[in-house]
Amino acid sequence: KTTMELWVIGHTNLFRLTGDMLHLISVLIVLQKMLKLRSCTGISLKSQLAYAVVFTARYVPTFSFDSTLYIIFMKLFFLLSSWYIVFLMRTRNPWKATYDERLDSFKMRYLIVPCIVLAFLFHYDRPHHQIAELLWTFSQYLEAVAILPQLSLLTVILEQGRKWELLTGHYVFALGMYRGFYVMNWIYRYWTEGHWNWVDSTSGIIQTFLYSEFFYTYIKGIKELRKEGLPTHMMD
């Protein structure tokens, strides 16, 4: 790579780049849904809050403008967009009015507390950066399970005989594929560089596994809509 390429994107590979783009797309889907449709129906505030905590714990302690433009942009985008989504859903109408807190019933303490405990018990030792390392490890564990409130909300909607919007399905699908490509990135780096981070890899594999049932429902719904020739803004 040229000096300019290294300054802009740094050292990366196709798997990580694809994963990053899918992650970016997933957030843009949520923002499009909320800003264009003026609604957050079917979106879990608890999952959005969990992701905001993930990015805050991961990026704030070690943020630096000395990094590549690519890394700086990605960190700022995910950090600011996650809190912006939480802000809209929590405090501003019409988003606050369309958020159904009753259905978004997953208990956050079941996510936060175990991840804090795991971060203290299982982490890498970096004597001069111990707090940053603990926060980074906590963010990895939390990201692995942050989608659970969203999946729980979609399950409740289906159990009530209702349909969830396809944009919501696209969002969760893109988010799941992002983690899948990151797993492939870690495998690729192990083969080519001998690099293996067990915290990254374990949390990524767990998260990808959590999406498995959703992937089946999502793909099945897409096929049924196309077969019936129905408008694809809703699915079950």
Side-chain angles (χ1 to χ4, degrees), residues 82-99:
S82 60
W83 282 113
Y84 179 60
I85 291 170
V86 170
F87 170 74
L88 291 181
M89 293 181 68
R90 193 65 181 173
T91 66
R92 289 291 183 267
N93 286 322
W95 302 282
K96 183 179 179 181
T98 58
Y99 167 61

Side-chain angles (χ1 to χ4, degrees), residues 164-171 218 222 225 232-235:
W164 33 270
E165 295 177 1
L166 191 58
L167 273 178
T168 306
H170 289 338
Y171 156 65
Y218 173 84
I222 292 291
L225 288 175
T232 57
H233 68 287
M234 305 288 282
M235 68 181 293

Side-chain angles (χ1 to χ4, degrees), residues 46-64:
K46 292 181 177 179
S47 273
Q48 297 303 318
L49 179 58
Y51 283 117
V53 172
V54 165
F55 300 134
T56 301
R58 183 177 303 168
Y59 298 144
V60 170
T62 58
F63 186 84
S64 171

Side-chain angles (χ1 to χ4, degrees), residues 136-151:
W136 177 84
T137 305
F138 164 73
S139 77
Q140 293 292 330
Y141 293 146
L142 182 58
E143 187 178 14
V145 295
I147 195 61
L148 285 177
Q150 181 65 64
L151 296 178

